[in-house]
PDB file of all heavy atoms in Angstrom:
ATOM      1  N   ILE A 128      20.782   6.449 -48.033  1.00  0.00           N
ATOM      2  CA  ILE A 128      20.482   7.883 -48.307  1.00  0.00           C
ATOM      3  C   ILE A 128      19.179   7.871 -49.112  1.00  0.00           C
ATOM      4  O   ILE A 128      18.413   8.791 -48.901  1.00  0.00           O
ATOM      5  CB  ILE A 128      21.609   8.464 -49.057  1.00  0.00           C
ATOM      6  CG1 ILE A 128      22.882   8.523 -48.240  1.00  0.00           C
ATOM      7  CG2 ILE A 128      21.225   9.775 -49.847  1.00  0.00           C
ATOM      8  CD1 ILE A 128      24.145   8.919 -49.211  1.00  0.00           C
ATOM      9  N   THR A 129      18.991   6.888 -49.972  1.00  0.00           N
ATOM     10  CA  THR A 129      17.725   6.822 -50.554  1.00  0.00           C
ATOM     11  C   THR A 129      16.503   6.636 -49.778  1.00  0.00           C
ATOM     12  O   THR A 129      15.556   7.419 -49.909  1.00  0.00           O
ATOM     13  CB  THR A 129      17.727   5.685 -51.770  1.00  0.00           C
ATOM     14  OG1 THR A 129      18.908   5.961 -52.674  1.00  0.00           O
ATOM     15  CG2 THR A 129      16.513   5.882 -52.605  1.00  0.00           C
ATOM     16  N   LEU A 130      16.620   5.700 -48.954  1.00  0.00           N
ATOM     17  CA  LEU A 130      15.508   5.431 -47.931  1.00  0.00           C
ATOM     18  C   LEU A 130      15.239   6.650 -47.098  1.00  0.00           C
ATOM     19  O   LEU A 130      13.974   7.161 -46.948  1.00  0.00           O
ATOM     20  CB  LEU A 130      15.927   4.397 -47.049  1.00  0.00           C
ATOM     21  CG  LEU A 130      14.816   3.957 -45.971  1.00  0.00           C
ATOM     22  CD1 LEU A 130      13.625   3.511 -46.621  1.00  0.00           C
ATOM     23  CD2 LEU A 130      15.362   2.718 -45.186  1.00  0.00           C
ATOM     24  N   VAL A 131      16.280   7.305 -46.575  1.00  0.00           N
ATOM     25  CA  VAL A 131      16.065   8.560 -45.721  1.00  0.00           C
ATOM     26  C   VAL A 131      15.419   9.654 -46.556  1.00  0.00           C
ATOM     27  O   VAL A 131      14.458  10.350 -46.062  1.00  0.00           O
ATOM     28  CB  VAL A 131      17.412   8.936 -45.077  1.00  0.00           C
ATOM     29  CG1 VAL A 131      17.219  10.316 -44.426  1.00  0.00           C
ATOM     30  CG2 VAL A 131      17.857   7.947 -44.086  1.00  0.00           C
ATOM     31  N   SER A 132      15.863   9.782 -47.669  1.00  0.00           N
ATOM     32  CA  SER A 132      15.262  10.909 -48.606  1.00  0.00           C
ATOM     33  C   SER A 132      13.788  10.733 -48.977  1.00  0.00           C
ATOM     34  O   SER A 132      12.937  11.539 -48.801  1.00  0.00           O
ATOM     35  CB  SER A 132      16.057  10.962 -49.868  1.00  0.00           C
ATOM     36  OG  SER A 132      17.379  11.238 -49.675  1.00  0.00           O
ATOM     37  N   VAL A 133      13.480   9.399 -49.154  1.00  0.00           N
ATOM     38  CA  VAL A 133      12.065   9.043 -49.349  1.00  0.00           C
ATOM     39  C   VAL A 133      11.251   9.305 -48.185  1.00  0.00           C
ATOM     40  O   VAL A 133      10.106   9.926 -48.219  1.00  0.00           O
ATOM     41  CB  VAL A 133      11.844   7.623 -49.832  1.00  0.00           C
ATOM     42  CG1 VAL A 133      10.500   7.130 -49.858  1.00  0.00           C
ATOM     43  CG2 VAL A 133      12.517   7.305 -51.354  1.00  0.00           C
ATOM     44  N   LEU A 134      11.658   8.876 -47.067  1.00  0.00           N
ATOM     45  CA  LEU A 134      11.034   9.088 -45.636  1.00  0.00           C
ATOM     46  C   LEU A 134      10.921  10.500 -45.365  1.00  0.00           C
ATOM     47  O   LEU A 134       9.759  11.004 -44.993  1.00  0.00           O
ATOM     48  CB  LEU A 134      11.701   8.263 -44.572  1.00  0.00           C
ATOM     49  CG  LEU A 134      11.659   6.864 -44.621  1.00  0.00           C
ATOM     50  CD1 LEU A 134      12.425   6.264 -43.468  1.00  0.00           C
ATOM     51  CD2 LEU A 134      10.174   6.351 -44.590  1.00  0.00           C
ATOM     52  N   ALA A 135      11.944  11.307 -45.600  1.00  0.00           N
ATOM     53  CA  ALA A 135      11.871  12.731 -45.420  1.00  0.00           C
ATOM     54  C   ALA A 135      10.863  13.489 -46.297  1.00  0.00           C
ATOM     55  O   ALA A 135      10.084  14.175 -45.887  1.00  0.00           O
ATOM     56  CB  ALA A 135      13.286  13.376 -45.677  1.00  0.00           C
ATOM     57  N   VAL A 136      10.823  13.155 -47.562  1.00  0.00           N
ATOM     58  CA  VAL A 136       9.840  13.763 -48.465  1.00  0.00           C
ATOM     59  C   VAL A 136       8.487  13.319 -48.188  1.00  0.00           C
ATOM     60  O   VAL A 136       7.502  14.071 -48.138  1.00  0.00           O
ATOM     61  CB  VAL A 136      10.188  13.285 -50.025  1.00  0.00           C
ATOM     62  CG1 VAL A 136       9.108  13.795 -50.919  1.00  0.00           C
ATOM     63  CG2 VAL A 136      11.503  14.001 -50.387  1.00  0.00           C
ATOM     64  N   THR A 137       8.283  12.133 -47.774  1.00  0.00           N
ATOM     65  CA  THR A 137       6.899  11.491 -47.390  1.00  0.00           C
ATOM     66  C   THR A 137       6.527  12.289 -46.106  1.00  0.00           C
ATOM     67  O   THR A 137       5.335  12.686 -45.904  1.00  0.00           O
ATOM     68  CB  THR A 137       6.981  10.046 -47.247  1.00  0.00           C
ATOM     69  OG1 THR A 137       7.326   9.403 -48.359  1.00  0.00           O
ATOM     70  CG2 THR A 137       5.526   9.457 -46.883  1.00  0.00           C
ATOM     71  N   SER A 138       7.269  12.378 -45.135  1.00  0.00           N
ATOM     72  CA  SER A 138       6.997  12.960 -43.940  1.00  0.00           C
ATOM     73  C   SER A 138       6.633  14.476 -44.108  1.00  0.00           C
ATOM     74  O   SER A 138       5.758  14.965 -43.491  1.00  0.00           O
ATOM     75  CB  SER A 138       8.195  12.773 -42.799  1.00  0.00           C
ATOM     76  OG  SER A 138       8.452  11.545 -42.488  1.00  0.00           O
ATOM     77  N   ILE A 139       7.392  15.116 -44.876  1.00  0.00           N
ATOM     78  CA  ILE A 139       7.151  16.552 -45.087  1.00  0.00           C
ATOM     79  C   ILE A 139       5.882  16.732 -45.798  1.00  0.00           C
ATOM     80  O   ILE A 139       5.057  17.634 -45.461  1.00  0.00           O
ATOM     81  CB  ILE A 139       8.389  17.134 -45.851  1.00  0.00           C
ATOM     82  CG1 ILE A 139       9.731  17.311 -45.035  1.00  0.00           C
ATOM     83  CG2 ILE A 139       7.994  18.619 -46.317  1.00  0.00           C
ATOM     84  CD1 ILE A 139      10.895  17.701 -45.809  1.00  0.00           C
ATOM     85  N   GLY A 140       5.641  15.946 -46.801  1.00  0.00           N
ATOM     86  CA  GLY A 140       4.328  15.957 -47.598  1.00  0.00           C
ATOM     87  C   GLY A 140       3.187  15.741 -46.548  1.00  0.00           C
ATOM     88  O   GLY A 140       2.191  16.474 -46.669  1.00  0.00           O
TER      89      GLY A 140
END
Side-chain angles (χ1 to χ4, degrees):
I128 293 174
T129 302
L130 178 61
V131 170
S132 300
V133 171
L134 291 177
V136 171
T137 302
S138 300
I139 293 173

